[in-house]
mmCIF file with all atom_site columns, all heavy atoms in Angstrom:
data_model
loop_
_atom_site.group_PDB
_atom_site.id
_atom_site.type_symbol
_atom_site.label_atom_id
_atom_site.label_alt_id
_atom_site.label_comp_id
_atom_site.label_asym_id
_atom_site.label_entity_id
_atom_site.label_seq_id
_atom_site.pdbx_PDB_ins_code
_atom_site.Cartn_x
_atom_site.Cartn_y
_atom_site.Cartn_z
_atom_site.occupancy
_atom_site.B_iso_or_equiv
_atom_site.pdbx_formal_charge
_atom_site.auth_seq_id
_atom_site.auth_comp_id
_atom_site.auth_asym_id
_atom_site.auth_atom_id
_atom_site.pdbx_PDB_model_num
ATOM 1  N N  . SER A 1 29 ? 38.916 56.593 -42.270 1.00 49.00 ? 29 SER A N  1
ATOM 2  C CA . SER A 1 29 ? 40.235 57.141 -42.593 1.00 49.00 ? 29 SER A CA 1
ATOM 3  C C  . SER A 1 29 ? 40.397 58.545 -42.041 1.00 49.00 ? 29 SER A C  1
ATOM 4  O O  . SER A 1 29 ? 41.444 58.906 -41.511 1.00 49.00 ? 29 SER A O  1
ATOM 5  C CB . SER A 1 29 ? 40.445 57.167 -44.110 1.00 49.00 ? 29 SER A CB 1
ATOM 6  O OG . SER A 1 29 ? 40.414 55.867 -44.628 1.00 49.00 ? 29 SER A OG 1
ATOM 7  N N  . ALA A 1 49 ? 56.712 66.382 -28.763 1.00 91.00 ? 49 ALA A N  1
ATOM 8  C CA . ALA A 1 49 ? 58.083 66.165 -29.242 1.00 91.00 ? 49 ALA A CA 1
ATOM 9  C C  . ALA A 1 49 ? 58.511 67.371 -30.072 1.00 91.00 ? 49 ALA A C  1
ATOM 10 O O  . ALA A 1 49 ? 57.778 67.816 -30.952 1.00 91.00 ? 49 ALA A O  1
ATOM 11 C CB . ALA A 1 49 ? 58.154 64.893 -30.077 1.00 91.00 ? 49 ALA A CB 1
ATOM 12 N N  . GLY A 1 80 ? 50.860 82.057 -13.360 1.00 84.00 ? 80 GLY A N  1
ATOM 13 C CA . GLY A 1 80 ? 50.171 82.925 -14.311 1.00 84.00 ? 80 GLY A CA 1
ATOM 14 C C  . GLY A 1 80 ? 51.053 83.811 -15.163 1.00 84.00 ? 80 GLY A C  1
ATOM 15 O O  . GLY A 1 80 ? 50.565 84.489 -16.051 1.00 84.00 ? 80 GLY A O  1
#
Side-chain angles (χ1 to χ4, degrees):
S29 298

